[in-house]
Amino acid sequence: MAALRPAHRTLADAVRARRTRPRPRPGRLLTAPAERHGPTPEHESVRRLRAGAQALADGAREASAEAVVRRVFAIQAQDATAADLGIRVRGRGVTARAIRTAYEKERSIVRNWYMRGTLHTVPGDDARWVSRLLSPRILAATGRRYQQLGLDGDLRQRADRLIRRLLAVHGPLTRAELTEHLTTLGISPYGQAPFHLIRHAALTGVLCHGPQRAGEATYVLLDDWLPATGDARWEEDAALAELAHRYLAAYAPAALEDFAAWSGLPVTWARRAWKLLAESGVITEYGGLTLLAGRVEELPGPQDTPDVRMLPAYDNYLIGYRTREMSVPALHQPRVWPGGGLIRPTVLADGLAIATWSRGSGARSVKVDAFEPVPPQIQREVDMEKDAVVRFLRPTT
């Protein structure tokens, strides 16, 4: 994905200048997928393109943690181990230690609150502009919760200042350590108030996640942890179009409603993003969905061996769209989404979910629960993936 970066900047320049070009003639490569019916050839085509874009099919893998995150743009990261597994499954020989190096020494990737106000890992040099675009809406949407917790605007600002001073002098600090100091503002150490104040400081650009300490997350000053980049002057429309462009690079074929669901932005904003991209001449139609222009001429040929991947819980591939039919057969969706906000770890074969999986005690074993009997050829690939996951999770000395 590094080769795409000049194009990203060109796109931003084009949007900023608002150069209007004639829209490209749509490329009608297939008929619109019948989303509410059974699997069709159109479903398979869209699924394979999406899985390939996510480095989850056709042998696509990236060589480093940074390259994975740059390709996918945002790895779901509510659970730190699941985020690491989400990088692993898209990488080639990427180890847990290499991921920690990317986070803590190279600082090429960073974990913080972004899309939909949830934790994601994004490229370090994209952290600021994404936050500036998304945070105002997240903060506004959290307003009622702030009121319920008694966190008025003055208190939140005082907490931001306190956290900034603490991290400047003592950082990196854990959530428990920050919470202890927040009690000096009259905040109870129990309940959700400390979490929301720490998250508020992240959304206002004060902090981000830093190095792990004994397996526990710490927080650091954003300005100390990540160098400033040259995108500070990006206007809202340029940033919006850039986010949509990155989304399509990693998730297309997709609809603007999918982008809205993934980003947490209103559909009206998604429509504006699509219009900006169309004016810049960088998108085309793909049977009622949208694809980056020139990205795909034809699908890769069929592979002799199925490409089997073991996704972690809450993986991007499963929640990056507003509907689930393309990736998980309708009959088996309750096994992946059992309720209570859970999204189980899932086994894919050529982009289609065929099983869920779970970890045994001590990360020494992996249990796979197949939806249907698995052919021997696929079972061999599943067993290889199981071994790879166990090796990845095995503690290093």
Side-chain angles (χ1 to χ4, degrees):
M1 286 294 288
L4 293 179
R5 293 190 63 72
H8 290 159
R9 297 299 180 244
T10 301
L11 172 62
D13 292 339
V15 172
R16 189 181 297 111
R18 286 300 191 95
R19 295 184 309 202
T20 303
R21 305 174 186 172
R23 291 195 180 194
R25 189 172 182 174
R28 296 186 178 276
L29 304 180
L30 54 90
T31 57
E35 291 185 359
R36 302 197 182 280
H37 301 285
T40 67
E42 290 78 15
H43 274 79
E44 182 179 357
S45 298
V46 171
R47 180 174 63 248
R48 286 187 59 197
L49 287 171
R50 287 176 172 181
Q54 283 272 313
L56 292 173
D58 298 316
R61 291 183 183 269
E62 295 291 344
S64 68
E66 178 187 2
V68 168
V69 176
R70 202 167 290 286
R71 176 171 183 150
V72 181
F73 181 63
I75 291 285
Q76 197 78 19
Q78 295 104 309
D79 180 283
T81 300
D84 287 357
L85 287 166
I87 295 173
R88 180 215 71 86
V89 73
R90 295 168 170 86
R92 186 181 304 108
V94 176
T95 64
R97 179 174 294 178
I99 295 172
R100 293 265 61 81
T101 297
Y103 273 121
E104 299 177 9
K105 294 184 179 179
E106 300 169 359
R107 302 182 187 179
S108 56
I109 60 177
V110 66
R111 183 174 176 234
N112 223 14
W113 287 274
Y114 297 107
M115 277 58 68
R116 307 180 307 283
T118 60
L119 284 168
H120 286 76
T121 294
V122 303
D125 54 6
D126 291 316
R128 285 181 173 80
W129 71 263
V130 177
S131 183
R132 283 196 301 271
L133 175 66
L134 300 179
S135 289
R137 291 199 61 85
I138 299 169
L139 289 167
T142 317
R144 183 177 179 183
R145 185 60 178 148
Y146 291 145
Q147 291 180 352
Q148 292 171 343
L149 294 170
L151 306 177
D152 61 25
D154 177 68
L155 180 54
R156 298 197 301 272
Q157 290 180 15
R158 287 192 290 130
D160 281 355
R161 290 193 296 268
L162 174 60
I163 290 172
R164 186 183 294 277
R165 290 196 303 270
L166 290 169
L167 293 178
V169 175
H170 303 292
L173 296 175
T174 66
R175 175 175 169 178
E177 290 166 341
L178 286 176
T179 297
E180 182 179 357
H181 288 281
L182 287 170
T183 60
T184 64
L185 300 178
I187 301 298
S188 169
Y190 310 106
Q192 288 293 303
F195 160 78
H196 276 285
L197 290 175
I198 293 169
R199 181 173 176 262
H200 184 273
L203 294 171
T204 54
V206 174
L207 62 78
C208 64
H209 281 68
Q212 286 190 359
R213 187 198 304 161
E216 186 175 1
T218 69
Y219 302 95
V220 292
L221 288 177
L222 175 66
D223 290 340
D224 287 348
W225 190 249
L226 297 177
T229 57
D231 59 20
R233 293 185 299 276
W234 274 16
E235 298 171 359
E236 184 177 87
D237 276 358
L240 177 62
E242 182 72 5
L243 187 67
H245 188 272
R246 304 285 186 99
Y247 173 79
L248 288 171
Y251 290 87
L256 64 86
E257 293 84 1
D258 295 319
F259 170 65
W262 170 81
S263 65
L265 292 170
V267 171
T268 54
W269 285 44
R271 290 196 188 100
R272 190 162 94 239
W274 254 235
K275 180 180 178 182
L276 292 165
L277 293 177
E279 290 173 349
S280 299
V282 298
I283 58 174
T284 189
E285 182 184 337
Y286 194 90
L289 300 173
T290 301
L291 196 67
L292 292 180
R295 177 52 65 92
V296 173
E297 295 297 331
E298 60 183 15
L299 282 166
Q303 303 293 310
D304 293 335
T305 304
D307 193 333
V308 173
R309 310 289 181 98
M310 294 182 68
L311 301 184
Y314 307 102
D315 191 80
N316 304 48
Y317 183 67
L318 299 179
I319 60 176
Y321 308 94
R322 73 192 191 285
T323 60
R324 305 165 177 176
E325 289 84 354
M326 297 292 183
S327 57
V328 183
L331 178 64
H332 304 301
Q333 287 180 11
R335 297 172 68 172
V336 178
W337 288 271
L342 296 177
I343 305 175
R344 288 179 173 149
T346 306
V347 182
L348 301 181
D350 293 334
L352 180 67
I354 61 169
T356 58
W357 66 274
S358 57
R359 296 164 57 184
S361 60
R364 296 178 183 272
S365 64
V366 168
K367 178 184 177 183
V368 172
D369 184 11
F371 299 154
E372 298 174 0
V374 177
Q377 184 183 29
I378 295 181
Q379 185 61 54
R380 287 193 294 271
E381 299 299 315
V382 171
D383 291 340
M384 291 175 62
E385 265 287 270
K386 287 169 60 177
D387 292 343
V389 169
V390 170
R391 288 195 303 272
F392 180 86
L393 293 173
R394 185 177 296 137
T396 57
T397 57

